[in-house]
Amino acid sequence: TIITCVSFTFRFFQLRSRRDIISQLPDDLLLRILSSLSLKEVMATSFLSQRWRSLWKLGSKLKIGNKDFSELLVKWISRSLAISNPQILKSLDIKLIPGELDRNINSLYRFSSLVKTAVSCGLRELKIEFLYTSLELPSIFYACGTLETLILCRLHFADGPPNGSLSSLKTLCLLSVKFSRDESVQKLLSICPVLEELVVRRSGYSNVEIFTINVPSLTSLSIDYIRVGSHQPAGVHGFVINAPSLRYLNIRDRHSNYLLFTNMPELVKANVEAVCDQSESLIGSLASVRHLSLCSKSSNIPYHAGTSFAFLEHLELCTCSSECWNLLSRIITDPLTLRVLKLKSVVLVVIFHDGHRFLLKTVIEKK
């Protein structure tokens, strides 16, 4: 027994004398290890040593799910960030289950507290997914001068204060977002004076009838309105786009019955897929493009007599509408710079298997 105790004591001090191999690894590698752990596990590592206590902060990114949204964990995050150097937090990603914040007022307080702390730490990117739950951000958020990217996904966005300003926001993604009314969209866009990139994905959950995009600084716009589920909007619904600095436009819209394009003289590349009858503003607004891909199943694609594609180099035209041939004959007579012409035929194939119907889309290109 005495020999065993002596052997154990010797082994214990021998292990203590050895250096911690993991702690010798560089910060970049340790941060990669931490990024694969849950937030609770990351919290546990902060108790290992003095170095590990603040190591997770160097990653400058936080991803919080429903399991991480406990009072203890949120307090730990807020307290740890509050005593850190400013400008430490770059990205915050929050995803919560449906209805949790509505049922628990403490959860609302924790969320608000977390966002306030993140804003004070120089937050640059914020992603929030609430799975169709109402979201009301704290008023301090609307004065965040460091936020550059905002991604809102599957939630009901409540109106903010009238005097807000996201002075550094350059990228905004609205993915299946429900607003209080049509004017709420323009209200949000109006407080983003330097916005450059806007991504809009509409779905059956979205409730805006006329989505107005009036952003002078916008250079890139992407709209996806393909899936609406069982809910088909009634009445007039679509988009009004006024973006004088726009250079890149990508629209896939199979449901709108109203599209209005105005004032896009800087447009360089456009990819437009739409089904509604187009106004003359569509073709006129595309006149400055160098690369154009156009697919319209409408039988009415007006071409203004004064429109000229003087800079067009690359043209892809879908032949799914008889009107496309008339449009093609007018376009190719204008530009002397056209180098590439692709005609695309869309073939829909219906396959029945085990009582189910599968719809396949095949694109045949001719150069």
Side-chain angles (χ1 to χ4, degrees), residues 173-335:
C173 299
L174 303 174
L175 312 178
S176 298
V177 176
K178 185 177 182 179
F179 289 88
S180 301
R181 53 189 183 276
D182 286 13
E183 293 77 13
S184 300
V185 176
Q186 187 54 33
K187 183 179 179 181
L188 174 60
L189 296 178
S190 66
I191 65 173
C192 308
V194 296
L195 187 65
E196 296 179 356
E197 181 181 3
L198 176 62
V199 178
V200 179
R201 186 176 70 207
R202 299 191 64 175
S203 66
Y205 181 71
S206 306
N207 63 330
V208 176
E209 294 181 355
I210 301 298
F211 204 105
T212 302
I213 300 171
N214 184 12
V215 184
S217 59
L218 198 65
T219 59
S220 176
L221 173 61
S222 179
I223 295 175
D224 192 325
Y225 192 17
I226 303 299
R227 301 176 182 176
V228 296
S230 59
H231 175 71
Q232 180 68 32
V236 178
H237 56 279
F239 294 87
V240 174
I241 301 172
N242 180 28
S245 301
L246 196 66
R247 295 179 60 84
Y248 304 101
L249 174 65
N250 182 31
I251 295 182
R252 295 196 309 156
D253 188 344
R254 299 177 186 171
H255 300 284
S256 293
N257 56 23
Y258 182 79
L259 291 174
L260 178 61
F261 301 83
T262 63
N263 197 20
M264 295 190 293
E266 302 296 327
L267 198 61
V268 174
K269 185 175 182 179
N271 182 8
V272 180
E273 178 184 347
V275 296
C276 73
D277 289 344
Q278 309 300 327
S279 64
E280 293 183 358
S281 66
L282 170 61
I283 299 301
S285 63
L286 301 177
S288 65
V289 297
R290 298 180 182 273
H291 188 294
L292 174 61
S293 177
L294 181 61
C295 178
S296 177
K297 297 178 176 61
S298 169
S299 59
N300 181 24
I301 311 177
Y303 189 97
H304 194 274
T307 303
S308 175
F309 289 83
F311 307 101
L312 188 61
E313 299 176 356
H314 185 113
L315 174 62
E316 298 180 15
L317 196 61
C318 182
T319 60
C320 56
S321 171
S322 58
E323 181 67 17
C324 74
W325 300 110
N326 182 39
L327 181 63
L328 176 62
S329 64
R330 294 194 175 193
I331 291 179
I332 61 176
T333 58
D334 285 336

Side-chain angles (χ1 to χ4, degrees), residues 19-26 30 33 51-52:
R19 299 185 64 183
D20 184 356
I21 298 178
I22 295 181
S23 295
Q24 296 180 51
L25 298 176
L30 291 178
I33 296 175
R51 183 190 180 195
W52 284 87

